[in-house]
Amino acid sequence: MTTISHHLRLVHDRINAASLAAGRDPSSVRLLAVSKTFGADAVIDAVQAGQRAFGENYIAEGVEKIDALRRWQADETPRTGVATGTLEWHCIGPIQSNKTRLVAEHFDWAQSVDRLKIAQRLSEQRPPALAPLQVCLQVNIDGGVNKSGVAPGDALALAAEVARLPRLVLRGLMAIPEPAIDFVAACALHTCARALFDQINASGELAVPMDTLSLGMTADLEAAIRAGSTMVRVGTAIFGGR
Ligand SMILES: *Cc1c(COP(=O)(O)O)cnc(C)c1O
């Protein structure tokens, strides 16, 4: 067993335990493996251990890895049985206007959409041959001054507009709360994101409700799962320190 496959096991154990402690079905929480700063070799290790969804922060680095993995799959599929096209790539880092085309052309999901202009460009630039881009709005849930993310008070209006764009599917909300001092404080922050998610879904503004609450990282995935996260984004606990 490689170190990465062992680490993936341990993370699944944590997800299972946290889900059961919260009275939830462990299969209601997806694991996004955050491979930023690690090379294609590390991603290949994780793929061979069964992981399929990967998150990247830096767009050019992500595109390079997406291409490398595509080449690897084309070469290895006959031998490994891992079919081309089964990997899912999530952009989780800041998206500047001049990077939207790369995201639209290469990624399956964009979780860090925080303004309408970026969403419009992603929709316009999504190639017709690809499925619509799956989108989460990044919410600045604790109001950190240096953080990206739409303000919670503006999230409903943005969600309503993004949901109408033709080449995007609004899947949910993503947040990166500041590190909290303990479990209770972490739960409180994540619960704010959950409340906003529920409020937007209950507003009647969306024709299709959101189904994804992307919350929780290596340090706080238990608290996020307690608060209702449906997708934890884990880097360090899988790939090691950066
Ligand atoms: C780096 C990163 C993660 C993973 O963080 P770890 O603490 O390494 O698990 C998750 N989400 C986002 C948006 C990140 O930038």
Side-chain angles (χ1 to χ4, degrees):
M1 212 195 287
T2 67
T3 310
I4 286 173
S5 71
H6 178 60
H7 287 170
L8 273 168
R9 258 231 216 138
L10 296 177
V11 171
H12 281 294
D13 287 347
R14 283 177 65 186
I15 293 171
N16 288 344
S19 301
L20 296 176
R24 299 182 54 195
D25 178 352
S27 72
S28 67
V29 183
R30 294 186 67 197
L31 172 60
L32 183 70
V34 177
S35 42
K36 65 179 176 208
T37 78
F38 291 90
D41 285 356
V43 176
I44 288 170
D45 267 1
V47 170
Q48 286 177 322
Q51 180 64 30
R52 293 293 180 270
F54 294 90
E56 289 286 338
N57 277 62
Y58 311 107
I59 290 160
E61 177 194 327
V63 168
E64 227 170 85
K65 256 175 263 181
I66 292 169
D67 287 343
L69 266 287
R70 206 162 274 150
R71 287 193 299 273
W72 174 77
Q73 285 183 302
D75 292 345
E76 293 295 299
T77 297
R79 204 168 61 76
T80 63
V82 178
T84 303
T86 54
L87 301 187
E88 192 179 280
W89 292 92
H90 295 233
C91 174
I92 60 172
I95 306 173
Q96 312 299 337
S97 296
N98 62 356
K99 293 284 164 48
T100 52
R101 184 174 294 281
L102 276 177
V103 174
E105 291 181 349
H106 295 273
F107 285 84
D108 304 294
W109 286 62
Q111 294 201 16
S112 37
V113 173
D114 62 0
R115 51 195 199 276
L116 185 60
K117 181 183 166 204
I118 296 295
Q120 284 168 332
R121 290 175 66 92
L122 290 170
S123 182
E124 284 159 14
Q125 293 169 345
R126 183 68 168 171
L130 298 183
L133 186 67
Q134 311 296 299
V135 164
C136 292
L137 303 184
Q138 182 175 347
V139 181
N140 186 356
I141 201 66
D142 47 16
V145 282
N146 295 320
K147 286 207 321 212
S148 26
V150 61
D154 297 331
L156 172 58
L158 181 60
E161 302 219 57
V162 169
R164 283 195 287 268
L165 293 172
R167 296 292 292 144
L168 306 184
V169 175
L170 178 65
R171 294 295 296 271
L173 303 183
M174 185 270 263
I176 317 170
E178 288 299 312
I181 50 164
D182 59 20
F183 182 76
V184 173
C187 286
L189 286 173
H190 288 303
T191 299
C192 290
R194 165 67 185 274
L196 183 62
F197 178 83
D198 289 344
Q199 184 195 326
I200 293 172
N201 270 345
S203 69
E205 294 281 340
L206 303 181
V208 181
M210 303 182 292
D211 63 5
T212 300
L213 188 53
S214 175
L215 288 178
M217 317 198 294
T218 292
D220 62 356
L221 72 87
E222 283 84 3
I225 289 171
R226 172 67 62 90
S229 171
T230 68
M231 189 184 295
V232 291
R233 310 177 309 268
V234 178
T236 307
I238 297 171
F239 296 106
R242 292 181 294 271

